[in-house]
Amino acid sequence: TCAFAGQKKVLAAYEEAVKCGYSGARAGRLHTPHGVFDTPMFMPVGTQATVKAVSPRELKEMGAQIILSNTYHLYLRPGTELVAEAGGLHRFMDWDGGILTDSGGFQVFSLGPLRKITEEGAAFRSHIDGSTQFLSPEIAIKAQMNLGADIIMAFDECIPYPAEYQYAKLSTERTTRWAERSQKAHTRSGQALFAIVQGGMYQDLRRVSANDLVSLDFPGYGIGGLSVGEPKPVMYEMLEQTVPLLPENKPRYLMGVGTPDCLVEAVRYGIDMFDCVFPTRVARNGTAMTKSGRLVVKNAAYAKDFLPIDENCGCYACQNFSRAYIRHLLKADEIFGLRLTTIHNLYFLLDFTKKMRQAILEDRFLSFREEFLAQYCK
Ligand SMILES: CNc1nc2c(CCNCC3CCCCC3)c3nc(N)[nH]c(=O)c3cc2[nH]1
Ligand SMILES: [Zn+2]
């Protein structure tokens, strides 16, 4: 059905045709050993077993449900056996909500100077001490079982952008074989293993990857190999080709995305889960996210601006502090300044996904999307 039908303003035929795409948006509930969580959801990133500059109590307070941590980093330091001896990641970082760990696939290719990829796995140099390390599906799954996350990811290769068709084809086929090896190595019950769809920016490879992984029957699916520098329309086209092939009754996780405009488009295609370092990363250089775009609170323009970052924001920073105060802290290199901008940015994205869920439940998602995109400058 066309959700624009019934609009007071009758859209011109061509506009209606363009704008009135079928919306695959959905509101769901994700059941994990640490609780049932609402989707669509944004998952704050905690690379080294901490979401930088905020405490678990503050994360809970701002509505975080599932947070991410990273096998690659924790495998190198402090080691996943140590975390297992500490009682697992939840105990180690005192977080009783959901945890999802990425398999390290992306980090190996994006962080350490890559040595080489073979059928067996990936050899690389540690970005910490330059030592030669090796990750394979079996090693990555064992590490994630040690960490004890509620959701873990298959070991994959995130194909760089751009990539030749032939390379993308061979890599995607190998990622599917690695997914099967990940599945065989995964022996921890109560923990969900998601596969990761690849295929580069090639529609046919995306469809083959999705179909092959669906036939291996995983409890959920990551969509990888996107948000790697490709133009946004290309990312959306890959979503359009991939999401409809994934089972309706299983969660879809778009990895590494992203900014609010990308989130609202991805939700429209039927994505349920998101993660992105962006909100915490830009916070640390004094940039706040608002529904009208970014606000660089560190700028001189805000030196005497005694209003909060966003008057309609319910976060701890906006309820208690002014732009002038936060700017002062950032200029003075005060840690509390980073904490306030981080708290605001995380709250903004968590609240944004909550608003999208509400709009879907009230069957007004497409107009929500229109209104948001009209106001938000990229
Ligand atoms: C930013 N864009 C992007 N990220 C991708 C990621 C990483 C998603 N974020 C994980 C967190 C990163 C910080 C530490 C905690 C884990 C991808 N990961 C995998 N395994 N495969 C991808 O194709 C893959 C593709 C990605 N594209
Ligand atoms: Zn705020």
Side-chain angles (χ1 to χ4, degrees), residues 19-95:
K19 286 190 171 180
C20 178
Y22 168 72
S23 161
R26 78 249 194 99
R29 307 257 297 147
L30 195 54
H31 292 253
T32 79
H34 281 86
V36 182
F37 303 114
D38 292 339
T39 64
M41 76 162 65
F42 172 70
M43 304 182 285
V45 164
T47 306
Q48 304 188 100
T50 166
V51 177
K52 291 182 174 28
V54 293
S55 70
R57 185 189 305 163
E58 289 165 330
L59 282 170
K60 195 67 75 182
E61 193 180 292
M62 62 174 78
Q65 301 182 89
I66 297 181
I67 61 173
L68 257 71
S69 210
N70 200 345
T71 306
Y72 168 83
H73 291 82
L74 296 172
Y75 174 79
L76 294 180
R77 182 178 57 190
T80 60
E81 289 78 12
L82 184 148
V83 176
E85 281 170 50
L89 207 40
H90 288 84
R91 182 83 278 319
F92 196 47
M93 65 186 292
D94 187 34
W95 173 252

Side-chain angles (χ1 to χ4, degrees), residues 6-27:
Q7 289 275 352
K8 292 188 182 44
K9 152 171 84 87
V10 178
L11 296 173
Y14 73 89
E15 204 180 3
E16 190 157 1
V18 167
K19 286 190 171 180
C20 178
Y22 168 72
S23 161
R26 78 249 194 99

